[in-house]
Amino acid sequence: MHTELEKTWEKYTSAWKMTSKAERLATFSEALADHAVYTDPLVRATSWDELISYMENLHQQIPGAHFVTTHFMSHHQKSIANWEMKTPENVTIGTGISYGEYDDRGRLISMNGFFKIDS
């Protein structure tokens, strides 16, 4: 099951690099449950549309930003992933940890990102 959850996680994170809403929706239909909730220190997105808006906002601030998973662990339909936020040139501009929970079909129902916000 670990491998399947990791595949789901990577499919989900690939949506952060996409620029098309249609591509993101297609990816979400495979990786996310309909009621999936995303949270991080800046937002709580309770719908796919809210999450897509948040992703679009990131790309407005940092065009081409995307995430690379550097370590992934899972058990009992839960996961932890260490990641790096990258520029299009593959320069690391941030790091963090995310916690995920999955339904019985292996789709994400909860994605929780943790990173430091400099004040």
Side-chain angles (χ1 to χ4, degrees):
M1 190 54 151
H2 170 80
T3 302
E4 292 305 311
L5 296 183
E6 189 169 11
K7 285 180 186 175
T8 298
W9 182 260
E10 290 304 323
K11 181 168 284 295
Y12 155 69
T13 59
S14 74
W16 286 90
K17 191 172 187 176
M18 297 172 182
T19 56
S20 157
K21 182 175 182 175
E23 281 183 297
R24 286 185 175 131
L25 287 172
T27 298
F28 286 1
S29 70
E30 294 178 34
L32 304 184
D34 293 341
H35 59 281
V37 174
Y38 172 87
T39 58
D40 73 22
L42 302 174
V43 72
R44 176 176 166 82
T46 59
S47 71
W48 290 5
D49 283 337
E50 288 178 0
L51 180 54
I52 288 172
S53 291
Y54 187 56
M55 290 174 168
E56 289 171 345
N57 186 46
L58 172 66
H59 280 267
Q60 289 172 359
Q61 294 176 43
I62 309 167
H66 62 280
F67 297 89
V68 174
T69 304
T70 57
H71 187 71
F72 183 89
M73 295 186 296
S74 66
H75 65 81
H76 296 93
Q77 302 301 96
K78 296 169 180 38
S79 69
I80 294 286
N82 295 68
W83 48 261
E84 296 177 343
M85 183 173 17
K86 304 273 192 177
T87 67
E89 299 76 29
N90 221 29
V91 174
T92 300
I93 55 175
T95 60
I97 299 169
S98 290
Y99 168 73
E101 294 185 50
Y102 303 77
D103 66 13
D104 59 357
R105 293 178 48 199
R107 298 174 306 165
L108 281 155
I109 57 175
S110 176
M111 304 82 71
N112 305 280
F114 296 85
F115 52 87
K116 184 177 182 223
I117 302 171
D118 292 326
S119 34

